[in-house]
Amino acid sequence: MDTNSRKRELVKEFSPMLVKSSFLSNIWILTLIAIIAVGLYAFYLQLTQGHEITGMRDNVVWGVYIINFIFFVGLSYSGAFISGILHFFKTPWKNSVTRIVEIITILSIIVGPIFILLCIGRLDRLYYLFLYPRIQSPITWDIIAIITDIFGCFLYLYLTFIPDFAILRDNTDLKLPNWRKKLYRVLAINYQDTESQRERLHKITSIMSKMIIAMAIVAYTVLAWIFSLTLQPGWNSTIFAPDFIFSGLYSGVGVIIIAMYIIRKYYKLEKYIIHSHFVMAGYVLLVLSLLFGYFTFSDYFAKWFSHKPADISLLNTLFGHYFWQFILANYIGVIVPLFFLSIKKIRTIKSITFAALIAVCGLWLNRYLVVVPTLETPYIPIQDTRLEFVHYNATWIEWSLSFAGIAAFILFFLLIMRLVPVISMSEIVQHERGLETKQDPSLKK
């Protein structure tokens, strides 16, 4: 195989997503920018008028923002874990999905912590967290874990991008503006795809893949401890850390499946993202749905069986005011994916994607039920207060900022795909080179 010719073929194949911009994609980008603009206006109102214009009050001091934070950090943990595991696989099917997972990982860990900032009433005092940290506080651990995770994920993503940056740098047929060519030249850091450079890069990425798995587990475990180390009914649980880890994987695999479906459909990548990718991801989602259902049942069953007044009060709130939300999150969100994923005859790409969509929505709603009803049923309720101070209802400010976060996630995803192909060209070349080496060992020399 002529490696240079093969690289040129791949660049030509993926060039439409790098240089061309259709009318539909422009409309889509403008829509995302408009959603972000509305979110920025909502942020301005919240910053100038305070949390009074949100639904957060004395009882429910956290709301949609913290739920979004938990959800996005869970996506990042899941992406880091799956990306690290995929790195050890030598099968060709992983080459088509690894980059999607890596991009989801880094964007989630960027967008997620922004929602924590929205929970802070005095952003002008944010630097106090760094000037006067308390090592006794799990929040300090969480800050350290998230910052470390961001740095590690950035470095890992960049290392995996270097070979593709070098391919784009060396390609003369691709019509790009000068600033793009200079950018590729700088980011490629003189990578020439020699045998020694490939081995060195492989060793570094292998080390980083192990590190980000560990960092992701630590980051999400610490986040779970922020809840479980309190005496708040519904949070003081010994299984919160593993529950958060498996629920993060559950939502992460679901988002990865949805992203695979959209990217495959829009960019016509049926040649690379094939049915077996969805089947494999569906099997993983099936196992995780069983684990998620088991942990959820164990948590609620322990509360019901304990007969503690505070736990019974929480369950009454869940089965009363939040009955339908409870059914949608913990029954529909688990049973529907199980149904579509366990029956072979209906396990199609569309059905697997639909099951993933239900799983993601159910998981987000489950996190809502973990946070809000618990804060509405404290040990010592506040007496003689207005009903809206006890019960939480998110305002348009919170929903606008939530949708702005999702829009920013999608927009940055699109921009990254304009910078480098969503399918790793270097992985394809390396796999094909490996196949030829197996057939003719003399080519290795």
Side-chain angles (χ1 to χ4, degrees):
M1 178 185 70
D2 186 350
T3 303
N4 293 328
S5 298
R6 181 55 177 151
K7 289 178 180 179
R8 285 194 295 270
E9 290 175 5
L10 289 171
V11 171
K12 184 178 180 180
E13 184 176 359
F14 294 124
S15 61
M17 68 176 66
L18 296 175
V19 297
K20 291 184 180 180
S21 181
S22 65
F23 176 77
L24 182 61
S25 64
N26 290 333
I27 293 295
W28 182 233
I29 290 174
L30 289 175
T31 302
L32 295 174
I33 293 174
I35 295 172
I36 295 171
V38 173
L40 290 174
Y41 174 69
F43 175 70
Y44 168 76
L45 293 178
Q46 179 178 307
L47 191 64
T48 55
Q49 301 182 31
H51 281 191
E52 182 182 2
I53 61 174
T54 70
M56 295 180 286
R57 293 295 184 267
D58 292 342
N59 272 27
V60 185
V61 294
W62 285 343
V64 171
Y65 295 150
I66 196 71
I67 297 160
N68 293 333
F69 169 69
I70 297 170
F71 183 80
F72 275 104
V73 173
L75 288 186
S76 175
Y77 153 72
S78 176
F81 186 86
I82 294 170
S83 178
I85 294 298
L86 287 175
H87 184 79
F88 298 102
F89 282 88
K90 303 300 181 182
T91 52
W93 62 264
K94 65 123 180 152
N95 299 333
S96 302
V97 299
T98 302
R99 181 152 295 167
I100 297 174
V101 177
E102 292 166 352
I103 296 174
I104 289 174
T105 300
I106 193 63
L107 291 181
S108 299
I109 199 61
I110 293 173
V111 174
I114 294 175
F115 286 105
I116 280 291
L117 301 180
L118 301 177
C119 289
I120 299 175
R122 292 293 300 270
L123 278 174
D124 56 312
R125 298 180 180 178
L126 178 64
Y127 64 93
Y128 284 6
L129 290 172
F130 303 94
L131 290 180
Y132 312 109
R134 294 181 69 248
I135 199 63
Q136 303 95 323
S137 172
I139 295 178
T140 300
W141 310 345
D142 202 27
I143 292 171
I144 295 172
I146 288 176
I147 292 175
T148 306
D149 199 23
I150 289 175
F151 178 77
C153 289
F154 256 115
L155 182 58
Y156 180 72
L157 183 68
Y158 174 63
L159 289 173
T160 60
F161 274 23
I162 289 175
D164 276 15
F165 286 144
I167 293 174
L168 294 170
R169 175 202 62 196
D170 298 334
N171 189 276
T172 57
D173 300 329
L174 198 60
K175 304 301 180 182
L176 294 172
N178 289 330
W179 70 267
R180 287 274 293 269
K181 295 178 181 178
K182 292 179 180 178
L183 181 63
Y184 290 139
R185 191 179 306 117
V186 172
L187 294 176
I189 55 172
N190 200 31
Y191 183 81
Q192 301 298 330
D193 197 29
T194 62
E195 186 67 27
S196 60
Q197 286 182 334
R198 285 197 298 270
E199 291 180 1
R200 195 177 301 120
L201 186 61
H202 178 73
K203 289 180 181 178
I204 296 173
T205 51
S206 295
I207 294 171
M208 284 301 303
S209 65
K210 298 182 182 71
M211 290 177 63
I212 64 168
I213 290 174
M215 287 189 294
I217 292 175
V218 169
Y220 216 45
T221 299
V222 170
L223 177 59
W225 285 347
I226 292 178
F227 293 87
S228 62
L229 294 182
T230 68
L231 295 177
Q232 183 75 27
W235 290 352
N236 186 226
S237 173
T238 57
I239 67 170
F240 246 45
D243 176 39
F244 267 49
I245 288 174
F246 284 112
S247 63
L249 283 171
Y250 188 48
S251 62
V253 174
V255 170
I256 290 168
I257 292 174
I258 296 170
M260 285 166 49
Y261 179 82
I262 295 174
I263 292 169
R264 179 181 187 266
K265 194 79 172 176
Y266 183 77
Y267 290 105
K268 296 178 172 49
L269 295 175
E270 291 83 358
K271 175 183 174 182
Y272 295 97
I273 305 176
I274 58 178
H275 181 262
S276 61
H277 289 109
F278 288 90
V279 173
M280 291 294 294
Y283 286 147
V284 175
L285 190 66
L286 175 63
V287 174
L288 290 171
S289 66
L290 292 170
L291 290 170
F292 173 69
Y294 168 75
F295 275 100
T296 302
F297 171 79
S298 298
D299 186 33
Y300 287 123
F301 180 77
K303 291 180 177 62
W304 173 80
F305 195 77
S306 68
H307 293 290
K308 294 178 182 178
D311 288 338
I312 295 300
S313 177
L314 173 61
L315 292 177
N316 289 336
T317 301
L318 286 170
F319 294 133
H321 187 68
Y322 293 97
F323 176 77
W324 288 112
Q325 293 92 322
F326 185 87
I327 295 297
L328 290 173
N330 300 312
Y331 285 87
I332 305 300
V334 174
I335 294 175
V336 170
L338 282 176
F339 174 77
F340 281 101
L341 298 173
S342 59
I343 302 175
K344 187 177 181 179
K345 290 183 178 180
I346 61 174
R347 199 187 298 137
T348 62
I349 291 177
K350 289 184 178 180
S351 65
I352 293 172
T353 306
F354 177 74
L357 181 63
I358 296 297
V360 171
C361 295
L363 191 279
W364 189 93
L365 190 55
N366 177 273
R367 300 299 94 175
Y368 185 95
L369 295 178
V370 167
V371 174
V372 174
T374 300
L375 291 173
E376 289 182 352
T377 54
Y379 268 125
I380 305 177
I382 300 173
Q383 302 298 322
D384 301 324
T385 56
R386 287 177 290 177
L387 190 63
E388 61 268 21
F389 276 40
V390 177
H391 296 292
Y392 170 78
N393 287 299
T395 63
W396 76 269
I397 297 288
E398 294 165 275
W399 289 120
S400 296
L401 285 165
S402 298
F403 287 119
I406 298 172
F409 178 90
I410 299 172
L411 179 62
F412 288 135
F413 204 117
L414 293 175
L415 293 178
I416 291 175
M417 287 194 297
R418 292 293 298 271
L419 181 66
V420 66
V422 73
I423 306 295
S424 176
M425 297 182 293
S426 58
E427 291 283 351
I428 295 173
V429 172
Q430 187 175 350
H431 171 68
E432 293 176 353
R433 185 190 290 125
L435 292 178
E436 288 193 352
T437 302
K438 286 182 180 180
Q439 295 173 359
D440 187 357
S442 64
L443 293 175
K444 190 175 183 180
K445 299 179 181 180

